[in-house]
Structures are given as C-alpha cells and as structure tokens.
C-alpha cells in the first residue's frame, strides 16, 4: 500500500476520533442545566476558570456520593461560610478537578525534567485531593477570626438598642439592618 494512502487513512481516523470525542463532550455538556448564580457568592478567579468542568463532573459523577458524606461536607461548607459559593456536590467535583490538575502539573514537570516517578505522581494526586479541604479549613479559620473581631461591636450595638427600648428581637433586627456588613 502507498504511504500516501496510509497517511490519508490515519488522518481520517484521527479526525473521526476527534469528531466523536467532541460530539460526546457536547452531548455531555448540553445535558447540564443552567447554573443560576444570582444569589451565590463570587467564585475565586482560579476556580472560575475550571467551573464548567466542575459543573460537568458535578452533574455526571457526584450523584454517586453517599448522603452522609454530602451532609458532613455541607456542614463544613456552612461553618466556613462557603455554602453560598458552592454545594457539597460541587465541592467534591472541585476535589476531582484538583486531583487531575495537580497530576497534570506534576506530569508537566516530569516532562521538562525528562524523567518520570510514579511515587511523586501519586503524592501529587493525594495533595490535589487534600488541597480543597485545606482551603476550606483556612476559610473557616478566617471566618472565625472575622466573627471574633466583629462580635464586641455588635454586642455594643445590641446593648444600645435594648437600652433604647427595643426588645432583643427588635434589637437584633435593627443591628442587622443598620449595622456594618
């Protein structure tokens, strides 16, 4: 057989594979419902870049996670103040994207060094899985510090409102409406 014919057949097969992959990817993404983030917090810039992939994994993969784990993660998201940014299912999708990102970065490093080590690749995957949990813990600690810093001022406002004649419920409403964010 002629080498030109072989090259033509090979190019046709590669383009067919690319077409099939793009078709399957478009079908997977078209099944995802629209993301209504009107009442959600702003995403961090790095997370905003990979958010379509997070939504894809959230819709297709995270439905297999047990309800106990989702509830525990939802509690952690509420405690850290991130529950208005993402759901528990999306957090697990972020973990999956993080694993692949860390492994891809490690593979890039190995390619530049012209060597490969499976141990470091596994360690990169473990670090990628743990990084969102570390970020969540740090967000919780930042929120605790902010609450501790703002608590005395809010207690003073509540005390002044109660001394002015409001009951506790009215004082709390007044402080929330008129106080600092």
């Amino acid at each position: 057989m002629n080498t030109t014919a072989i090259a033509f057949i090979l190019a046709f097969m590669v383009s067919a594979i690319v077409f099939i992959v793009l078709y399957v990817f478009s079908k997977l993404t078209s099944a995802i419902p629209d993301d209504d983030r009107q009442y959600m917090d702003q995403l961090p810039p790095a997370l905003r870049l990979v958010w379509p992939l997070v939504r894809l994994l959230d819709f297709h993969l995270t439905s297999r996670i047990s309800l106990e784990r989702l509830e525990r993660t939802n509690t952690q998201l509420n405690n850290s103040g991130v529950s208005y940014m993402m759901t528990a299912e999306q957090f697990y999708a972020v973990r999956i994207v993080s694993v692949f990102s860390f492994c891809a970065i490690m593979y890039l490093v190995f390619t530049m060094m012209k060597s490969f080590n499976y141990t470091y690749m596994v360690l990169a995957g473990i670090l990628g899985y743990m990084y969102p949990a570390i970020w969540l813990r740090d967000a919780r600690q930042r929120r605790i510090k902010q609450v501790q810093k703002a608590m005395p001022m809010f207690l003073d406002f509540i005390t002044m409102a109660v001394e002015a004649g409001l009951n506790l419920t009215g004082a709390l409403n007044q402080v929330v409406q008129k106080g600092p964010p």
Side-chain angles (χ1 to χ4, degrees):
M1 200 185 261
N2 191 355
T3 57
T4 308
I6 292 174
F8 179 72
I9 292 171
L10 187 62
F12 177 74
M13 291 174 68
V14 167
S15 62
I17 290 171
V18 167
F19 177 74
I20 290 171
V21 167
L22 289 175
Y23 178 75
V24 168
F25 187 74
S26 70
K27 285 294 182 184
L28 287 175
T29 55
S30 67
I32 300 172
D34 290 336
D35 191 21
D36 184 20
R37 296 199 55 85
Q38 182 178 359
Y39 299 106
M40 303 289 279
D41 288 344
Q42 192 86 3
L43 292 170
L47 190 56
R48 202 173 312 136
L49 290 174
V50 295
W51 194 249
L53 183 59
V54 168
R55 289 188 52 234
L56 178 77
L57 292 173
D58 168 34
F59 185 74
H60 291 290
L61 292 181
T62 57
S63 62
R64 294 171 175 80
I65 299 173
S66 68
L67 290 177
E68 302 88 40
R69 292 183 82 181
L70 289 176
E71 284 298 321
R72 189 171 46 236
T73 303
N74 197 28
T75 303
Q76 291 173 349
L77 291 172
N78 284 333
N79 289 341
S80 62
V82 184
S83 62
Y84 289 107
M85 188 184 308
M86 68 181 76
T87 63
E89 293 90 352
Q90 291 169 341
F91 182 74
Y92 279 106
V94 166
R95 284 184 125 173
I96 294 169
V97 169
S98 177
V99 166
F100 286 121
S101 299
F102 273 65
C103 287
I105 290 170
M106 187 58 74
Y107 181 76
L108 215 68
V109 169
F110 285 144
T111 303
M112 285 189 253
M113 292 175 28
K114 294 184 175 42
S115 68
F116 192 80
N117 191 338
Y118 287 106
T119 307
Y120 289 126
M121 191 64 90
V122 170
L123 287 175
I126 292 171
L127 182 63
Y129 184 76
M130 296 303 293
Y131 180 73
I134 293 168
W135 172 79
L136 190 64
R137 188 194 68 212
D138 290 346
R140 182 173 179 254
Q141 290 173 350
R142 275 193 309 272
R143 184 175 188 211
I144 288 172
K145 284 181 184 177
Q146 288 173 345
V147 168
Q148 287 174 345
K149 186 177 179 182
M151 185 64 77
M153 177 183 56
F154 278 100
L155 287 176
D156 286 342
F157 289 164
I158 291 170
T159 304
M160 287 188 290
V162 167
E163 287 175 354
L166 293 174
N167 61 7
L168 185 60
T169 306
L172 287 172
N173 286 334
Q174 188 73 17
V175 169
V176 168
Q177 289 174 357
K178 306 281 182 168

